[in-house]
């Protein structure tokens, strides 16, 4: 039971470190984290002029007219990638990519909730109008297969609630054949994507698959 009279004498009031509140968590590449935090503190202390808002009162840059989100579903490492462009006819630009990772020792509902929260944050950040979701081969006799089925359910529900769209389902052979071949491994896919998007090096994780899935959706794979 909660203590109705907790000891408060040793509690010290906390003073916010920021002059401008409230704060908001954002996703940034780790390599830029320290530099961005240092610049933000200088802005907060008045060492630089704050960015001037546009006519709408915000400082959000113009968004591409077409945005695709590609998703590689998995309970341990869900891959995602976002492509954007001015039109479906133009070549897409890679806006961001990454993974949503969960801890194997955590309870399954906790891991699904983490995927739901992180995926919702991505949807709120990029507002994709199109979503390509891989439908992997699933053997329900194995624990991993049953967990992937539950991940697919969470992903579909979050996307429909936020975007009110149904994800385009792309099967593994379809998007792999569009990039290379049905038997292509991740390293081969990554090499082709690095050439397509002028990237130095992609991490060989689920984000590679997600980027290929997003690109396949952009090019019309899986659409009738």
């Amino acid at each position: 039971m909660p203590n109705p009279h907790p000891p408060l004498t040793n509690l010290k009031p906390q003073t916010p470190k920021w002059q401008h509140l409230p704060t908001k968590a954002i996703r940034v590449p780790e390599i830029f984290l320290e530099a961005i935090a240092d610049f933000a503190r200088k802005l907060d202390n008045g060492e630089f002029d704050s960015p001037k808002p546009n006519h709408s009162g915000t400082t959000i840059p113009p968004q591409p007219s077409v945005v695709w989100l590609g998703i590689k579903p998995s309970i341990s490492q869900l891959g995602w990638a976002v492509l954007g462009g001015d039109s479906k006819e133009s070549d897409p630009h890679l806006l961001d990519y990454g993974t949503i990772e969960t801890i194997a020792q955590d309870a399954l509902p906790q891991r699904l909730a983490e995927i739901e929260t992180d995926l919702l944050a991505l949807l709120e950040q990029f507002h994709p109008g199109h979503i390509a979701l891989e439908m992997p081969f699933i053997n329900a006799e194995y624990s991993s297969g049953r967990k992937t089925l539950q991940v697919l359910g969470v992903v579909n529900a979050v996307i429909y609630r936020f975007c009110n769209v149904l994800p385009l389902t792309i099967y593994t052979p379809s998007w792999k054949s569009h990039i290379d071949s049905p038997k292509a491994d991740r390293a081969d896919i990554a090499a082709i994507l690095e050439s397509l998007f002028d990237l130095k090096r992609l991490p060989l994780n689920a984000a590679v698959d997600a980027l290929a899935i997003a690109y396949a959706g952009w090019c019309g794979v899986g659409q009738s």
Side-chain angles (χ1 to χ4, degrees):
M1 296 179 62
N3 186 353
H5 303 291
L8 303 177
T9 55
N10 294 325
L11 293 180
K12 297 181 180 180
Q14 299 294 313
T15 303
K17 296 181 179 180
W18 297 98
Q19 304 294 331
H20 296 79
L21 296 174
T23 60
K24 183 177 181 179
I26 60 172
R27 308 176 70 97
V28 296
E30 292 183 359
I31 192 173
F32 302 136
L33 185 60
E34 185 175 346
I36 291 174
D38 181 64
F39 181 68
R41 292 189 188 98
K42 291 179 179 178
L43 278 175
D44 193 53
N45 293 329
E47 298 180 36
F48 298 120
D49 292 333
S50 298
K52 296 184 183 299
N54 57 24
H55 66 279
S56 64
T58 67
T59 55
I60 301 174
Q63 297 296 311
S65 60
V66 180
V67 178
W68 274 86
L69 170 64
I71 298 175
K72 165 76 173 182
S74 172
I75 186 64
S76 58
Q77 186 185 78
L78 182 146
W80 59 270
V82 185
L83 299 178
D86 294 331
S87 70
K88 192 66 182 294
E89 288 72 30
S90 65
D91 293 330
H93 302 285
L94 176 57
L95 302 182
D96 201 357
Y97 65 90
T99 58
I100 298 174
E101 300 184 16
T102 64
I103 301 174
Q105 289 74 24
D106 289 344
L108 179 59
Q110 181 179 350
R111 300 174 76 182
L112 294 172
E114 184 174 347
I115 290 174
E116 178 182 16
T117 299
D118 289 357
L119 179 58
L120 180 59
L122 288 174
L123 297 176
E124 291 175 340
Q125 180 178 356
F126 294 103
H127 291 271
H130 309 275
I131 297 170
L133 173 64
E134 183 202 48
M135 177 56 70
F137 173 77
I138 295 175
N139 189 336
E141 295 182 0
Y142 295 97
S143 173
S144 59
R146 294 193 294 270
K147 291 175 182 177
T148 302
L149 282 173
Q150 295 188 66
V151 171
L152 286 168
V154 169
V155 169
N156 274 278
V158 172
I159 290 172
Y160 185 75
R161 285 202 306 265
F162 184 85
C163 302
N164 198 29
V165 299
L166 298 177
L168 170 67
T169 302
I170 302 182
Y171 291 85
T172 304
S174 301
W175 67 259
K176 280 196 172 186
S177 297
H178 181 69
I179 299 295
D180 191 333
S181 73
K183 296 183 179 180
D185 59 26
R186 188 168 284 169
D188 293 333
I189 297 294
I192 294 173
L193 292 173
E194 288 165 359
S195 176
L196 281 172
F197 293 99
D198 194 24
L199 301 171
K200 291 184 178 180
R201 188 173 184 84
L202 279 169
L204 296 182
N205 57 27
V208 169
D209 299 349
L211 178 52
I213 292 164
Y215 183 66
W218 180 283
C219 295
V221 175
Q223 303 177 51
S224 57

